[in-house]
Amino acid sequence: QVQLVESGGGLVQAGGSLRLSCAASGRAFSTYYMGWFRQAPGKEREFVAAISWSGVNTYYADSVKGRFTISRDNAKNTVVYLQMNSLKPEDTAVYYCAADRRGSDPYSHYEYDYWGQGTQVTVSS
């Protein structure tokens, strides 16, 4: 059974930090690109960050560059992390983890094959 389970969301003040985790199981996710997307109320889902299967290549939305860091651990089951620093109220959203077999366009949510249920991140001003 394929599972992507996010955790680590919560309420934080502006300027604070959170670390999201995504535990992936049920497939050989060590060979998948992994990404984080977010969706705020009334807005479309948007790309946040992605990482290649090896971890060598990372990709970020301009809005989070220099503040967020994506990483992964393929030691056992794949776990993907999103370290979020200097959080802003506009970062408030549900954050989703996703897995992509091909990696042809890590920025596009259409390319991703599997999705988690999401975790809420709320940044207060």
Side-chain angles (χ1 to χ4, degrees), residues 56-117:
V56 170
N57 297 312
T58 57
Y59 311 82
Y60 295 96
D62 288 342
S63 59
V64 307
K65 275 180 185 176
R67 300 189 298 122
F68 290 11
T69 302
I70 189 170
S71 60
R72 68 187 295 161
D73 181 356
N74 289 332
K76 286 187 176 180
N77 287 330
T78 294
V79 182
V80 184
Y81 304 98
L82 186 68
Q83 178 67 44
M84 306 187 295
N85 299 329
S86 302
L87 282 161
K88 304 176 181 179
E90 51 263 44
D91 295 318
T92 295
V94 177
Y95 283 70
Y96 297 90
C97 174
D100 173 9
R101 285 176 296 171
R102 294 163 295 276
S104 55
D105 184 2
Y107 298 94
S108 172
H109 69 276
Y110 294 109
E111 297 294 316
Y112 287 78
D113 304 286
Y114 302 105
W115 292 84
Q117 293 299 306

Side-chain angles (χ1 to χ4, degrees), residues 21-68:
S21 299
C22 171
S25 61
R27 288 289 186 272
F29 287 113
S30 60
T31 63
Y32 282 55
Y33 276 59
M34 301 295 293
W36 288 96
F37 290 77
R38 67 187 181 187
Q39 188 166 18
K43 294 189 176 181
E44 294 190 355
R45 190 168 298 192
E46 65 171 355
F47 171 78
V48 176
I51 188 167
S52 62
W53 65 269
S54 65
V56 170
N57 297 312
T58 57
Y59 311 82
Y60 295 96
D62 288 342
S63 59
V64 307
K65 275 180 185 176
R67 300 189 298 122
F68 290 11

Side-chain angles (χ1 to χ4, degrees), residues 5-24:
V5 180
E6 302 98 335
S7 61
L11 173 64
V12 64
Q13 288 189 331
S17 298
L18 283 174
R19 189 175 84 152
L20 305 184
S21 299
C22 171

